[in-house]
Amino acid sequence: MEIPVGVQDVLPPLAQLQRSIENEFLQVLAGAGFSQVCTPTFEFYQLYQQTQPEEEVYKLIDPRGRVLAVRPDFTLPVMRLALSWMDRERLPWRLCYVGQVFRLRPAGSGRNHEYTQVGAEVIGAQAGAADTEVLWLASKCLESVGCPAFRLVVGDCQVTQRLLTLAGLDDSQQSLARAALLRGDLVALERCLASSDGQVAGEVFRCLTARGKCEEIARTLFQRVGDLQGLRTLDRLSGIVRGALTAGVRGQIEVDFGLVRDMSYYTGMVFEVYVDASATSIGGGGRYDKLASVFGKEIEAVGFAVNVSELARVLCRVQALSPEERGYYVACSTDEPATLGKALAVANVLRRQGHKAEVDLLGGSPEELRARASAKGYRYLLRIQNGQVEKVDLRQQAGAVPGLQAQVLSVH
Amino acid sequence: MDLAIALPKGRLLEPAVQLLNEAGMEGLDAAELSLWGQLNCKLQAVTVKVLLVRDDDVPTYVRWGATDLGVVGKDVLDESREEAIELLDLKVGECRLSLAVPLEIPGDGAGRIRRIATKYPRTSEEYFRKIGWQVEIIKLHGAVELAPALGLADAVVDLVATGNTLRQAGLVEKAIIAHCSARLIANRASFRLKSEEISAMENALRQCLKRREALSAAGGIGCEGAQRK
């Protein structure tokens, strides 16, 4: 059965894993004072027009002929929601969300057009503590789901801009350089900088590509040319990063002024999250102090989002579910209503003890029941017969005489 | 952490291997790599697994993280549209991606050329859309230069190194679409997660390229010529 390009069915156990990741994240965020909000799945296309590349947006036409966009991003509608409804007396607003976003991708890119994001936004707090908190929260969320080694790559739009200005690039050259950084085309960046007559262009290139060492290079450079504004923005970022480290961010933090993100609305600190087993970044965020101007307002804000669809796939690969966690398959002879009642009661007791328990509905011989329970991935088979409960450990079944490991359980 | 790098079969293999050897890669040999398909080598303290794959598969291997690094022609990289970090121009295998037209077509061919044969349909389509030509693009996998003589196309977009192949087919190079050479590319996540190892390799290659440049400037000989003595 064919389905459209770019979307996928999510099957067990992946769907369950994804849901539990969402819940863990939301719990961490709720604990930090974030309230959950929902925004519509589609809104006027106009909302996204300034920030989202046109070719990435799924569009609909409403009955009056107006163009709608199927949500390509949460930050903008959450900002719209906040400005429409939230109480100015209670700043900063801490809002979080979970939901699907939709982005058209070029054919053959192998990327899904639909995925689920969990994210958080702090609106009405200036650069500094809020940025530190966002880095810390992103890290806590990943820790909460047992994410393997991850790295937060932190940059700053303003530092990057100061560096490009120092290199002697004018506005149009700067946007070329930023586009090259976004594409990851460092060869084009090097050429762009080499063509500039700025004296420190070579040093700027080294700084933008030095990853972990760029902070020192930038500081030395700003000090040497006496760029006080550059030093101020750099100090602010260093403070944010130091704060996150002091707060106990477990993932490694690497400062990289070559980091440019694909959303155009960022104005300060930006970051991306990389996980060992994933070929691309699985999330990120940053500060977007100018975004409210889309609505003719002014308010500072910072936030982040994680692609939990991709994170679930990564975790599924890394931590294959162990059979011990898979619970009980409870079987009885289905043609006796009294035994069926007993099976349902037994299953309920197990569930209250925190186990998963599924009741068999098809019946059959002991061999058939064992085969069915194993195929479904259960650890134990419980057979209820003549008021007695027989427990079979399916993992120890291979080659053993049937019934040998069976133990009799008494269930109250 | 260890690194894995994909090298392309074909014309770029020899120069890429030579360059990596000059940069201090131990245990890398083109003949053995062709024989076994993969080799375990060493660069400074880093173990590097070298894989030999089809040139147009290199961007895919790197995009999906099957290897951390890859060496591939800029022509193939642009055509693939795969996301990767383009780290370094290796300055080997230099050539041009050009529009070539039969001798008898006058001027730049605008208006006369309606159908173009190429191995690079995406890059070509983008180029002609940009310059405003309405053309039909036909994808071929080889012997592209024969297409006009066979009536398959009015012109071709193909790689040109010396221009001999074009001349023999009665074609003239009319416009350069891109200058191409081998590039070192990296997977986006590896670029972040293995930045120390990747920097080490990149720096070794940069120094090696600098030496070659100095050598060719001093001796006035092509660097590959100088290497072979």
Side-chain angles (χ1 to χ4, degrees), chain A residues 145-365:
Chain A
V145 295
C147 192
F150 59 91
R151 188 175 270 195
L152 303 180
V153 178
V154 185
D156 190 303
C157 297
Q158 288 183 24
V159 176
T160 307
Q161 199 209 335
R162 285 311 301 165
L163 287 166
L164 293 175
T165 309
L166 271 189
L169 303 190
D170 61 30
D171 282 355
S172 70
Q173 287 170 317
Q174 287 202 15
S175 49
L176 282 180
R178 259 195 298 275
L181 278 169
L182 177 61
R183 282 201 312 276
D185 188 348
L186 303 183
V187 174
L189 178 73
E190 190 168 10
R191 288 202 180 133
C192 179
L193 285 166
S195 71
S196 148
D197 39 359
Q199 305 211 325
V200 292
E203 229 164 310
V204 166
F205 176 74
R206 265 201 306 288
C207 183
L208 290 173
T209 53
R211 276 98 94 199
K213 295 182 199 76
C214 68
E215 219 176 331
E216 293 162 47
I217 302 179
R219 191 172 302 279
T220 319
L221 187 59
F222 286 146
Q223 272 164 355
R224 212 182 62 224
V225 302
D227 186 337
L228 293 179
Q229 199 190 335
L231 278 174
R232 259 199 309 278
T233 46
L234 184 60
D235 283 342
R236 196 183 54 207
L237 184 81
S238 303
I240 290 168
V241 170
R242 252 203 324 277
L245 290 171
T246 319
V249 166
R250 201 205 50 166
Q252 297 179 60
I253 294 190
E254 185 171 274
V255 177
D256 181 356
F257 296 130
L259 179 69
V260 170
R261 301 212 65 214
D262 60 351
M263 301 306 290
S264 54
Y265 47 60
Y266 291 112
T267 55
M269 184 277 290
V270 284
F271 74 102
E272 279 183 351
V273 183
Y274 289 87
V275 183
D276 249 354
S278 175
T280 48
S281 140
I282 58 147
R287 174 158 285 280
Y288 49 97
D289 289 345
K290 297 275 174 353
L291 186 65
S293 68
V294 170
F295 310 101
K297 300 266 170 61
E298 255 180 58
I299 196 160
E300 295 153 311
V302 59
F304 80 98
V306 172
N307 177 344
V308 289
S309 309
E310 178 61 22
L311 180 59
R313 279 192 287 270
V314 170
L315 291 183
C316 208
R317 274 201 301 272
V318 182
Q319 37 174 257
L321 295 176
S322 52
E324 285 91 331
E325 288 164 353
R326 295 229 181 146
Y328 294 80
Y329 195 66
V330 185
C332 61
S333 54
T334 41
D335 41 344
E336 285 174 54
T339 354
L340 180 60
K342 181 105 195 209
L344 289 170
V346 168
N348 205 31
V349 170
L350 289 166
R351 286 171 201 152
R352 258 188 274 143
Q353 289 169 0
H355 301 290
K356 175 172 149 188
E358 178 177 338
V359 176
D360 176 72
L361 298 174
L362 302 178
S365 69

Side-chain angles (χ1 to χ4, degrees), chain B residues 202-221:
Chain B
E202 191 194 329
N203 289 336
L205 284 166
R206 267 183 196 280
Q207 276 166 18
C208 173
L209 289 172
K210 226 181 256 171
R211 278 199 302 274
R212 282 186 170 193
E213 211 172 301
L215 205 65
S216 74
I221 10 169

